[in-house]
Amino acid sequence: MSRTEALNSLHMLAAHVDEGRLWQRHLDMASIGATPLGGVHRLPFSKEDAESRRLFLSWASARGFAAEMDDFGNIFVRRDGTERNLAPVVSGSHSDTQPNGGRFDGIFGVLAAFEALEAIDDAGIATRRPIEAVIWTAEEADAQFGVGCLGSQAYADPSKLPSLMEIRNGQNIPVKQALAQLMADHQHLGSRPFKSPIAYYVEAHIEQGPELEAQDKAIGIVTAIQGHRSFKVQVMGEAGHAGATPERLRKDALVAAMQIFSGLRKVFHDPDDVVRFTVGEMDVVPNAMAVIPGSATFTIDFRHPDPDILQSLGDRIAVVARENAGPCDVTVSELRHSSPVVFKGSVPETILKAVESLGYSFMALPSGAGHDARYIAEIAPAGMIFIPCWRGISHNEAESATLQDMVAGTRVLAKTLVELANL
Amino acid sequence: MSRTEALNSLHMLAAHVDEGRLWQRHLDMASIGATPLGGVHRLPFSKEDAESRRLFLSWASARGFAAEMDDFGNIFVRRDGTERNLAPVVSGSHSDTQPNGGRFDGIFGVLAAFEALEAIDDAGIATRRPIEAVIWTAEEADAQFGVGCLGSQAYADPSKLPSLMEIRNGQNIPVKQALAQLMADHQHLGSRPFKSPIAYYVEAHIEQGPELEAQDKAIGIVTAIQGHRSFKVQVMGEAGHAGATPERLRKDALVAAMQIFSGLRKVFHDPDDVVRFTVGEMDVVPNAMAVIPGSATFTIDFRHPDPDILQSLGDRIAVVARENAGPCDVTVSELRHSSPVVFKGSVPETILKAVESLGYSFMALPSGAGHDARYIAEIAPAGMIFIPCWRGISHNEAESATLQDMVAGTRVLAKTLVELANL
């Protein structure tokens, strides 16, 4: 193919992204674990999870794409490059969901990657590097196992494997056992070693936040995945009769929790609105109308893209809690601490060029949520493409994105993958 | 008996209150529904409740006191007066408990009344009016049926009977059915019409608050039962991803609930520490660490002895809630509204004289909790005697009072009953 022909093919690539095919596959995936309210319940390692992976592999097989699996069940579907020994460009996400989750989170990135492979194929474009579509195992494992992104963590850092395998869910089943069941389905696949080189990694995903919709942008070029710290704050007071105990003798744990929360809101207030500070859980004991709360426990979810602010502001929580606890005792424990990851260089730059050439409206923004790209970025240049989702709602059956936005995101992805595969 | 002999007998009455007998009966009652942590679980209408009433009746029978029951199962044990047709002086309380409650709340008032009857009998004191010890049915019914003091309410106002009978518990069992089972035990008792005249009513009870202990007083002379209003505040926001949703686009129901709570604390702040304002229940949905709360519902328990303040301050709740709800919606509904009852005249005056003559330390104080005396006060001059309880803890297995304080309260009660029975 001459350079002119190649440019023409690339120009036509967007047209080869097939709206009807993409939507049909979206519907086929959404039917696996479909809930009555229009969501999807497809827990990691479940039979629905296995079924979504079989469906993905059936598409690959119909198209003649080879498939490989690593020892954590991560599945790679490959369109070869002209230089087969080069490290591939990889794109994808996960096919599992939160309990009663949505039908876009994760699976959109898998569908977009596979559609991109087919569109590139249909456009007759040859790339130097192979391009692969991946399903990472158990991204949504946090709800059952307390930790997420298990597959991408294992791939990027196999030294974590022994500890990941031993994590247990509420039924005391270790990851090892759940994973063995899931992988038993796919013993025929080629074997992929952990940490096999990846030239570039691109993940498409719904934003899971309201910024793109609020700014009326079609595409988000992700600048970073925020750092994330979470904390448990336990306030111990003293239960007592609501009618009989005077204020001066009370140790009301909920009053203290409220004052701590209020003090923290002041400290975490950010005029630039970059800080993400959330108290999502509040549990009062005994939680009875006529009894002064004896204890109140709440969680803090704190995220920031700047590692210094993540450290310094997060470290103030325990201090502010003690200052505002009044007559109660308070203990603060940290549940999670993950550093920010910045996406820069070739991947976001190539996404930007693709968006501009296709003429979509766009903005740069950090990701509020964590993603497999967080871990793959440790071993390869990485980046992400966001599309808008309705009102920013995610991890919820009401999660929704338009086909138009899905197509736009897939076109940007396809073009980005071709460019990266020829770098 | 001459006037001198009578005065001597009255002087000796305190000595006839038998510490050992009182404590043994306390232990016998505490064994019915005893919990491993030293409390009592003797729910209204339960087989334990029935057993406590049989035990009470067996004491009456051994002593030769007659017993009567009304159609709500309230049981009256009688020591006759010299003028048998006079309305009796009545004293008592309840023998049921909260779920996993204590072994003093309620039952102390029953034991004190019965011990007073025996002490008066042992002292050979004749009174003009009969004196009765009463067990009111289902005082602690609020935990299962949402309403308390059922027996005393029915006695004081039989027009409530049809509606009281239809109240149902969580298992959909109406009071009517639960009551029929309880009363089947006692078909042999004499029949007492509702609202039969009561000359005076005196109820002894543990304080269920910390004031007597804090002020180091043996006896509390109760001035009033506070008025009591309770409310449910429902804050509706919008759930969202804790990592992805910027502050300016959030409708965080827990933040709004906290701001409402904080605004209310300012409005209800009382330098004299008479206001009782408690948020005892807080329920967040979905209550997940990484999800912005979509709704938060909390209750308010508000009590005050002054009916005007009860009205005006309580009426401000809905206004303050709306002012502080930020971007969220809020609805306030009133769950309960009972007016204060003031104890004045012969009963508290007679209690005061008895305390002074016996030389106990004392203070006047309002009752924070509701009691059967609240309803009997509607049909008879009434009053209450409080004794201290450990750290004010009640409705709890840790509830505790000393035998010394129980004896003091019983001596004051016995003397008060004799004086009132001769008025």
Side-chain angles (χ1 to χ4, degrees), chain A residues 222-227 304-307 339-345 347-348 365-367 373-374 376-378 380-384:
Chain A
V222 182
T223 55
I225 292 180
Q226 301 183 106
H304 203 281
D306 181 322
S339 322
V341 166
V342 174
F343 298 130
K344 57 187 177 189
V347 178
L365 81 175
S367 170
R374 154 97 189 57
I376 304 308
E378 293 174 359
M384 293 187 74

Side-chain angles (χ1 to χ4, degrees), chain A residues 90-413:
Chain A
V90 177
S91 179
S93 190
H94 57 97
S95 68
D96 59 347
T97 74
Q98 286 279 315
N100 296 306
R103 53 195 196 138
F104 297 88
D105 175 6
I107 194 65
F108 166 64
V110 173
L111 295 171
F114 194 81
E115 179 62 34
L117 255 61
E118 291 198 292
I120 294 165
D121 213 41
D122 291 342
I125 296 171
T127 58
R128 284 178 60 230
R129 296 181 181 278
I131 304 178
E132 294 182 341
V134 62
I135 288 180
W136 300 110
T137 301
E139 199 269 356
E140 301 286 15
D142 62 332
Q144 283 83 48
F145 293 88
V147 187
C149 297
L150 301 186
S152 52
Q153 287 199 64
Y155 190 88
D157 184 359
S159 75
K160 292 179 181 174
L161 213 56
S163 63
L164 291 177
M165 286 295 191
E166 290 307 322
I167 300 171
R168 285 160 192 268
N169 66 10
Q171 289 76 50
N172 206 29
I173 294 169
V175 164
K176 189 169 46 182
Q177 180 182 337
L179 183 60
Q181 284 175 1
L182 184 74
M183 289 176 62
D185 241 24
H186 310 300
Q187 295 305 341
H188 58 287
L189 298 180
S191 167
R192 163 78 59 117
F194 288 128
K195 225 176 166 172
S196 296
I198 291 175
Y200 304 99
Y201 178 71
V202 193
E203 181 163 349
H205 208 282
I206 58 168
E207 181 197 342
Q208 304 185 280
E211 291 283 7
L212 293 174
E213 186 182 75
Q215 311 280 337
D216 199 20
K217 305 295 185 191
I219 297 291
I221 302 172
V222 182
T223 55
I225 292 180
Q226 301 183 106
H228 187 182
R229 298 177 74 178
S230 60
F231 301 85
K232 182 156 77 170
V233 182
Q234 292 175 284
V235 184
M236 300 304 298
E238 195 170 282
H241 195 293
T245 315
E247 179 68 22
R248 70 179 188 287
L249 296 176
R250 293 186 180 206
K251 294 181 182 177
D252 184 323
L254 186 57
V255 167
M258 183 201 69
Q259 284 166 343
I260 293 168
F261 186 8
S262 183
L264 289 169
R265 292 256 308 160
K266 284 187 198 111
V267 169
F268 281 77
H269 176 69
D270 174 14
D272 297 330
D273 210 0
V274 175
V275 164
R276 299 285 175 266
F277 174 82
T278 307
V279 172
E281 270 181 278
M282 172 73 78
D283 295 298
V284 175
V285 174
N287 212 35
M289 186 157 58
V291 183
I292 297 163
S295 77
T297 302
F298 63 95
T299 57
I300 294 170
D301 182 296
F302 166 44
R303 311 196 198 194
H304 203 281
D306 181 322
D308 294 337
I309 295 177
L310 189 75
Q311 187 69 46
S312 61
L313 216 43
D315 289 353
R316 291 190 62 187
I317 290 175
V319 180
V320 174
R322 279 193 295 273
E323 284 170 358
N324 288 276
C328 296
D329 292 325
V330 60
T331 60
V332 176
S333 46
E334 185 157 13
L335 304 176
R336 169 189 179 141
H337 190 144
S338 45
S339 322
V341 166
V342 174
F343 298 130
K344 57 187 177 189
S346 335
V347 178
E349 286 164 14
T350 306
I351 295 169
L352 174 62
K353 272 190 269 178
V355 175
E356 287 179 327
S357 75
L358 288 164
Y360 292 120
S361 61
F362 69 94
M363 65 185 284
L365 81 175
S367 170
H371 296 286
D372 292 308
R374 154 97 189 57
Y375 295 99
I376 304 308
E378 293 174 359
I379 57 166
M384 293 187 74
I385 297 166
F386 275 174
I387 64 166
C389 65
W390 179 67
R391 294 174 68 193
I393 292 171
S394 184
H395 288 187
N396 189 305
E397 292 165 288
E399 187 181 86
S400 183
T402 67
L403 177 56
Q404 186 186 337
D405 288 334
M406 291 165 70
V407 168
T410 306
R411 284 180 173 151
V412 172
L413 176 65

Side-chain angles (χ1 to χ4, degrees), chain B residues 27-42 48 100-101 103 397:
Chain B
L27 294 177
D28 290 346
M29 278 290 185
S31 73
I32 305 172
T35 66
L37 293 178
V40 174
H41 184 77
R42 193 161 63 219
E48 292 82 11
N100 295 307
R103 53 196 197 138
E397 292 164 290

